[in-house]
Amino acid sequence: MSWSERIILSRGLDAIRDSRIASPLKMVFGTLPAHVRHQRFAVGAFPRRLRAWRERNNLSQSEAALKLQISKRTLQEWEQGRAAPRGFARTAIEKAIRA
């Protein structure tokens, strides 16, 4: 992984941590709520790709969570489709699991 990719991943992972702390943003007129905006993605595609990445690299959930700098519980929620990363955090995770 190149230095620039590490910086991008680090910023994305910081966004994940910050999103848990920050208050919800006010919706601007004309924008779609998050639950509607993300319906454009195939249902269940992200959890399948995340689990496939973990299994392809022979990582336990704990090891994968450490590698992605998230909690094991968050990883479980993502893999089971009950939650998903949003915005820049999702982009960073997608990039990490593609590499």
Side-chain angles (χ1 to χ4, degrees):
M1 183 180 293
S2 72
W3 179 251
S4 61
E5 289 173 331
R6 288 181 188 179
I7 291 173
I8 291 170
L9 178 60
S10 174
R11 288 181 184 162
L13 297 173
D14 289 341
I16 293 169
R17 284 190 293 274
D18 294 344
S19 70
R20 294 187 200 137
I21 299 168
S23 62
L25 299 174
K26 292 182 180 178
M27 190 182 336
V28 178
F29 179 75
T31 61
L32 296 172
H35 69 280
V36 174
R37 189 172 46 240
H38 292 292
Q39 287 177 359
R40 286 183 259 169
F41 299 105
V43 176
F46 178 75
R48 284 193 306 271
R49 285 196 317 275
L50 182 61
R51 184 173 180 150
W53 167 80
R54 182 174 62 78
E55 291 174 348
R56 196 170 49 246
N57 290 294
N58 295 323
L59 298 171
S60 67
Q61 285 184 332
S62 297
E63 292 167 337
L66 283 173
K67 192 171 190 92
L68 296 173
Q69 297 179 3
I70 58 174
S71 72
K72 180 181 173 189
R73 182 69 181 165
T74 299
L75 181 68
Q76 290 171 342
E77 295 290 318
W78 290 355
E79 281 191 358
Q80 294 171 8
R82 291 192 299 250
R86 292 176 295 209
F88 191 68
R90 183 177 182 121
T91 304
I93 296 296
E94 293 274 4
K95 215 169 200 182
I97 66 177
R98 264 188 271 138

